[in-house]
Structures are given as C-alpha cells and as structure tokens.
Amino acid sequence: MCFKKKSVVMVQFDSPFPKTRKSLRKVLNLRIMMKALLIALAIFGVLFIFVLVGLIGLLGTETKLTLPVPEKAILTVNFDNPLPERRGDEWLYGFSEQPQLSFYETVKALNVAATDDRVKAIAAEVNVSSLGLAQIEELRETIKYFRSKGKKAYVYSTGMGSFGGGTSEYYLAAAFDEIWMQPNTEIGITGISIEVPFLRDVLNKIGIMPEFYARHEYKNAMASLLDSKLSPQYKSEMTKLGGTIFLKFINEVSADRKIETKKMFELVDKAPIRAEDGLDSRLIDIVAFKNDFIDELKQRTGGAELYPLASYAAEIKDNRGKLPVIAFLVLDGEIVEGDVGQNVWQQGVVSSRQTVEQLEEISRLPDLRGLVLRINSPGGSYTASAEIWNAINTLKKKKDIPVVVTMGDYAASGGYFVALAGDYIFAEPLTVTGSIGVLGGKMVLERLWKKLDVHWAGLQFGENAGILSGNRKFSPSEKAAFNRSLDNVYRDFTAQVEKSRKIPAQDMDKLARGRIWQGASAVQNRLVDETGGIGAAFLKVRKLSKPRKGQRFRIVEFPRAKTLPEKISELISGAPRISVQKVIEDSGLPLRQMKLLQRLQYDAVLPPFDIAM
C-alpha cells in the first residue's frame, strides 16, 4: 500500500505571508535578561524593584543581544527537542539563551531559509525524539522543499533508538541528503508497536467497578477500565492504525534511500543495526564523529558559520503596517469546560472559556480576512467542544471570513467536532481523526466501601437525583436516562458531520460508531478535504479570502503573547506549578503514560493507546 501526498509546503512567506518578525528576538533578549534578573535577585534581593524598573526600560528599547545572520550560514537544529504546537510564553520555562520554538515557528523558519541566499545548508541532529508522526511528516516535506531550492540538508545521530524505538527518528532522517552516524552506534528501526493499558483486573481487586456506556462498539476510550484485553473491534482498529503507519514508513523510506521494499522489511526485522553495517545496506551515508561532521560541512559550504535555527527564527520580522490580517489559533490538548486550573496538565489542555475569549479577541482584529485553526487534540468534553464549534461559526458569520483547519497528530472525537466549523480541512496522512462517537459513565466504589467498612446513608428527592453518585450503580431509571443522553449527543454529532461534510445519512454508520481514521483514509471518506499541513492551510485560506492580485497579509498568532504585567504576575503565581511539573519529569515517572490515562475522564475522546516506533 503506497500513499501519495500532494507536496504543498509553506512557501513564499514574503508574499503574502510574513517575511520577517521581531517578537521571537525579544524572547531571546528577555530570557537572557531574566537570567541576569534572577541572579541579581539572589544576591541583591533588596534591589528587586530597581532591577525590575531597569528591565522594563530595556524591554522598551530595541536592544539586540543576538548575533546577526552570517553571510554564509549553516542552520543547526536538534530534533530531539520537542516542538510544541503552542508558542512558549512563560518566563520560567526552559531558561536558556535559545528559546523553545513552536512547531509553526520551526516550519516557517525552514521555509524562509530555503529562499535565503545566506543559508547554505541545514545541519540537524536526531537521536531520541518526541516529535509526533504528523509533525514528522510535515518536517519531511519542509526539508524536501528546502532541498528543492538547491540547498543541502544533513543530519547527524549518535544512535537512533539503539535497542529499538528509533523508527520515527529514522523516518525523519531519511528525508535529508545525507545521514551521518557516530561509530559503534545503532539504527533502531525495529518497527511499530502499539500498547494499551488494561486496568479492569486491578480495579476488581480493590473493589472499584467502572460503569460506562458508549456509542458505539468502536468507541473504546473506556476499554482500559471495562475490559481485560483487546476486543475484536478494538484490535481491528489498532491493527489498521499500526499497519498503515508501518507500510507508509517502509514505502517512503525505501524511496528516499533507494532501497528495495523487500530489503527494507528484512532490515527492520534485523534491527537494531550497527552503524557500520548500515553503510553497506545504504541506510546511512557516513560513519564519523560529530566534530568531523561539522568540519566537513564547513569545508563543503566554503567556510560557512554554524547558526542556530532558533536565532534565525528570531531574526525573522513580521509584516508591519495596515495590512489585512490572517489569524492563526492553536488548540492543543484535551478539551475541557470552563477555565484551566493551575495543575501539571495545563499545557496540554484546551479550555472552552479561554478559547471563546480568544476567538472574540480575533473578531476585534482590524481588517480580518481569515482564520487558520491548528487542532492537535484527542477530544474531551462534548459540551466544551460544541461551545468552541459554535464560537468559530459565530466568528465566521460575524466577520464573513473563511476558516481553514490544519490537523496535527490527533484531531479526533471532540477535536474532530471542532474541526467541523472549518470551511476546508487539512490532515497529514498519519493524522488520527474521526472517532465520531460518545461515551460516559462513572466509577462505582460500592464494593470498595464495603472492604473498608465505610457505610453511606443518603436521601434523594427525585427519581434520578443520585445519578452521578459513585457509591452505587445506576438504577434502571438512571441507566435509561443516562443512555438517552448519550443517544442525544451521538445523534447531534453525526447530524453535524452529515451537514458540515455533506455526507448522506445512510453512509454515516460506516464512518461513525467510534471508528478512527487516519488522514489519507479520512480524505477518501470525505471526513477531511485534503492531505497537507500548516503551509497548505495558509495558502488555502488566502485563496478563499479572495485577495486582489499581489495582496500581502500579516499573520497574528493566538494565544497572543503575554504582556509584561501578565508575565510578572505569572512569575509570582505560576512558579509552584512549573516546579511540580519539573519534579515529575526529573523523577523518571512515566509522564507520557500518565497523560494518556488522563483521557479516561472525558466523554468524547480517543482511547489511551501509546504508539512506539
């Protein structure tokens, strides 16, 4: 099975999109000054107010602490570092001279560099990466666009996965002109594995009984609580998912490296493969230490200087002046009702109230011509998803603008419902989407209380008043009422899909019932319009906005950058939360798996499976 993807990347940012930008440079300067501020506070605490006043004064100037782009530059980037969908905007997050670029900023910088005569090559590094599959797909296309402009892209690795788990890293590396590896390391292209946690047996032991109901058999988000093993439907979905990823990897890497498909299957089954053996099989090009890699690149580019991609991004300036606006809004994480509280999961949460406020702020932008909505969400609260969906539709009608959706690694269930507000939807071929269904229920603690000799007494006024009580199972009346609610939500969900995507009602049963789809198959089934990423979305929204010939735009990102008073307030009130998250990460706890289990509390969400490659 071979998938073909239309090669559309973010090109010509100077027309009509931003050619340059100053805000990221300010982040660089701010981080450096914040380090100085914290040192000053530690030594001269009594001078806090004076240092703060001086900092404010500096921020009001065009002080420039970053070095300009060399006339001959090799852009360096480490793809082991995460590329968050949302732009980082916290003072205490990752104190370093180089800020953490968002995924959008990274793709934009690479596309701008492709047509910058000063940039001669890219020198990337990838060893053990946390990038998502859809992100890797768009980065592959971006690197290939860079190469199409006659420039070289090189990647270095000290070991891709070693004992395994390096398949995604190699998938990214295969898009480069040359792959270099350190001697005596390994290429861990061991394939794809999908793991699903099942907790039913342990819950039985402690006396907790999950009572959940779903619409329908493929809506498996609660299978981890309800079952002890994969159901036939769940297994079929995971088999389809893993098989699609694996075949796409084999086909595209075989083409990139000019290796026969049959040979690639054999290499995967032999992995991990020593770097020296990888030379013979054409998996890599050169085995050498990193200093030799750098020296060779400098020689090939006529003495070009190494220059971090983050610094290059800081030198990109925004279009200024009274240009028409295209807004760019990122929704990244589980969708929840109301405001986001101060907790460790905050950065991976989409608050309905805050998102509605951001959409209202977007509606007040002068000369707004369109909205690009980036969704990277496995779903969440159906109520919150519907609230955001309605706010987007309200914005469209009020401002008479097109909305184009670009999907990240996930845009499923509640995330897919939000996407229905778009006039056009893009997804990467490996984006997980669909999951049109709903579920709900409660954890019943009745047997646990008996084990602990805890006795509850209660009164209720109304037949279903205790419907959400965790101290007992649903009564027949409560069960009937609860399932009526699920039926109502499912009917609304499928009706919105039929209306928005113009899908006949008789076809919905084959597409819904909780089934998940990947981007390529979602296009075939009309759930998505086209495969593509952020760049394709910007080009599409420009076309739909019907600009005059040569029209230029400026892009305004949301959530917007925080003001100085907001950052000072966050510095004072937010430090404990950030410290807690840092402690969890440093402790070695399986934070990724813990976040997967967080999905179990929502009613329109993907199941908590973990894909490793």
Side-chain angles (χ1 to χ4, degrees):
M1 184 183 299
C2 181
F3 292 89
K4 293 184 178 180
K5 176 180 174 182
K6 186 177 180 180
S7 181
V8 182
V9 292
M10 198 179 308
V11 298
Q12 297 184 350
F13 269 89
D14 54 335
S15 178
F17 301 113
K19 179 180 181 180
T20 55
R21 176 181 165 192
K22 296 181 180 178
S23 60
L24 193 52
R25 181 193 302 160
K26 291 184 179 179
V27 175
L28 282 167
N29 298 340
L30 178 60
R31 288 174 182 268
I32 296 171
M33 287 185 283
M34 273 303 302
K35 274 194 170 182
L37 173 60
L38 291 178
I39 294 172
L41 289 177
I43 301 174
F44 308 106
V46 294
L47 299 179
F48 172 78
I49 190 66
F50 299 103
V51 176
L52 186 59
V53 170
L55 174 64
I56 294 173
L58 282 172
L59 288 174
T61 70
E62 285 296 320
T63 303
K64 185 175 180 180
L65 302 180
T66 57
L67 295 174
V69 181
E71 287 305 311
K72 290 184 179 181
I74 301 172
L75 295 185
T76 61
V77 57
N78 189 334
F79 286 122
D80 288 349
N81 298 327
L83 296 177
E85 291 289 344
R86 284 199 304 192
R87 175 183 53 203
D89 199 26
E90 295 178 335
W91 280 16
L92 296 181
Y93 188 77
F95 274 101
S96 65
E97 281 74 15
Q98 298 301 330
Q100 183 181 41
L101 294 179
S102 70
F103 183 68
Y104 163 69
E105 289 168 333
T106 300
V107 171
K108 183 175 91 169
L110 289 172
N111 275 283
V112 172
T115 55
D116 188 339
D117 293 336
R118 297 171 298 178
V119 178
K120 306 304 178 183
I122 296 171
E125 184 171 352
V126 61
N127 306 296
V128 180
S129 177
S130 61
L131 297 176
L133 291 177
Q135 288 186 328
I136 289 175
E137 284 188 297
E138 184 153 3
L139 284 174
R140 280 173 50 85
E141 292 300 316
T142 304
I143 294 299
K144 290 180 179 181
Y145 170 70
F146 182 89
R147 292 170 56 190
S148 73
K149 297 300 180 181
K151 301 186 178 187
K152 293 292 185 179
Y154 306 95
V155 63
Y156 186 85
S157 179
T158 58
M160 285 182 246
S162 292
F163 290 106
T167 307
S168 61
E169 286 82 356
Y170 188 79
Y171 184 38
L172 174 59
F176 287 74
D177 287 290
E178 288 183 6
I179 302 175
W180 292 53
M181 288 195 72
Q182 181 174 304
N184 299 313
T185 54
E186 292 181 319
I187 310 165
I189 50 170
T190 51
I192 313 296
S193 69
I194 300 177
E195 294 183 327
V196 181
F198 288 100
L199 310 177
R200 180 59 186 267
D201 290 342
V202 70
L203 293 177
N204 287 340
K205 289 179 181 179
I206 61 178
I208 297 178
M209 187 189 76
E211 189 175 8
F212 287 87
Y213 304 96
R215 299 296 182 275
H216 284 276
E217 69 272 21
Y218 293 96
K219 194 67 177 178
N220 292 302
M222 290 302 161
S224 292
L225 301 180
L226 299 173
D227 303 325
S228 299
K229 61 181 181 180
L230 287 171
S231 67
Q233 293 85 0
Y234 201 168
K235 185 177 181 179
S236 70
E237 290 289 277
M238 294 299 99
T239 300
K240 179 178 68 174
L241 177 67
T244 300
I245 297 171
F246 188 47
L247 287 175
K248 192 171 193 296
F249 166 79
I250 292 291
N251 289 326
E252 294 195 3
V253 168
S254 296
D256 292 335
R257 301 298 302 174
K258 296 178 174 58
I259 300 173
E260 291 183 2
T261 301
K262 181 181 178 181
K263 181 66 175 178
M264 269 306 304
F265 279 112
E266 294 173 356
L267 290 170
V268 168
D269 289 339
K270 290 179 181 179
I273 297 171
R274 291 177 66 248
E276 288 75 8
D277 295 333
L279 282 173
D280 297 332
S281 58
R282 299 201 303 275
L283 285 173
I284 64 173
D285 299 286
I286 298 175
V287 174
F289 285 98
K290 191 172 183 180
N291 59 312
D292 298 319
F293 170 70
I294 297 301
D295 291 343
E296 177 66 17
L297 264 57
K298 287 182 177 180
Q299 182 177 345
R300 292 186 187 182
T301 55
E305 300 177 43
L306 300 181
Y307 194 73
L309 183 68
S311 295
Y312 184 80
E315 291 294 308
I316 299 174
K317 303 171 185 176
D318 289 334
N319 283 327
R320 300 287 182 175
K322 296 181 179 180
L323 292 175
V325 171
I326 292 177
F328 178 61
L329 174 63
V330 177
L331 303 182
D332 182 32
E334 287 90 358
I335 302 170
V336 300
E337 295 181 57
D339 287 321
V340 176
Q342 294 288 324
N343 59 69
V344 265
W345 315 109
Q346 179 173 353
Q347 291 187 350
V349 170
V350 177
S351 156
S352 61
R353 182 174 300 174
Q354 291 169 359
T355 302
V356 170
E357 289 174 354
Q358 289 159 8
L359 289 165
E360 290 174 349
E361 189 174 352
I362 289 172
S363 72
R364 294 192 292 270
L365 290 172
D367 204 5
L368 179 66
R369 298 294 182 86
L371 168 65
V372 172
L373 186 66
R374 176 70 168 182
I375 301 177
N376 188 60
S377 172
S381 164
Y382 188 79
T383 302
S385 302
E387 185 179 2
I388 296 172
W389 170 87
N390 179 69
I392 297 170
N393 278 303
T394 300
L395 172 66
K396 285 170 54 178
K397 294 177 182 177
K398 179 180 178 181
K399 304 297 291 186
D400 190 24
I401 60 168
V403 174
V404 175
V405 172
T406 164
M407 295 178 168
D409 294 320
Y410 304 96
S413 204
Y416 181 71
F417 187 89
V418 172
L420 294 174
D423 297 292
Y424 204 85
I425 303 176
F426 285 96
E428 292 292 349
L430 294 181
T431 295
V432 177
T433 187
S435 192
I436 301 165
V438 64
L439 56 87
K442 62 182 179 179
M443 303 295 284
V444 180
L445 309 180
E446 187 174 11
R447 285 191 293 151
L448 175 63
W449 297 136
K450 288 181 180 179
K451 288 176 180 285
L452 299 175
D453 286 330
V454 175
H455 306 283
W456 288 81
L459 300 172
Q460 68 181 57
F461 304 90
E463 189 174 10
N464 298 326
I467 191 170
L468 296 181
S469 172
N471 296 324
R472 58 174 177 78
K473 294 178 63 177
F474 289 119
S475 69
S477 173
E478 291 168 346
K479 181 179 177 180
F482 194 83
N483 278 285
R484 282 198 303 272
S485 178
L486 292 183
D487 288 335
N488 290 337
V489 172
Y490 184 72
R491 279 195 297 269
D492 181 65
F493 198 162
T494 53
Q496 292 298 343
V497 177
E498 292 169 15
K499 180 180 178 182
S500 301
R501 304 302 305 165
K502 297 179 174 57
I503 296 175
Q506 61 268 23
D507 293 342
M508 278 306 303
D509 199 55
K510 297 178 182 178
L511 302 177
R513 305 185 73 86
R515 293 180 178 88
I516 61 173
W517 303 93
Q518 288 179 286
S521 56
V523 171
Q524 295 172 0
N525 288 288
R526 292 176 291 175
L527 296 174
V528 168
D529 292 294
E530 190 176 345
T531 55
I534 296 175
F538 275 113
L539 294 176
K540 187 66 178 182
V541 80
R542 181 186 185 275
K543 181 178 180 180
L544 294 177
S545 69
K546 299 178 181 179
R548 66 174 185 272
K549 187 176 181 180
Q551 177 70 63
R552 296 168 64 88
F553 294 87
R554 63 187 178 97
I555 296 174
V556 180
E557 296 179 60
F558 287 84
R560 65 178 179 79
K562 295 182 179 72
T563 64
L564 182 59
E566 288 172 337
K567 289 186 176 182
I568 293 174
S569 174
E570 185 177 84
L571 176 65
I572 297 170
S573 64
R577 172 181 62 81
I578 297 170
S579 298
V580 169
Q581 182 162 352
K582 188 71 165 64
V583 168
I584 289 179
E585 291 172 344
D586 291 345
S587 69
L589 291 173
L591 187 60
R592 179 177 173 183
Q593 283 74 18
M594 292 167 67
K595 287 185 176 181
L596 288 174
L597 294 179
Q598 285 292 105
R599 296 186 191 174
L600 297 179
Q601 64 180 298
Y602 302 115
D603 56 11
V605 71
L606 281 176
F609 56 82
D610 188 17
I611 302 175
M613 62 181 290

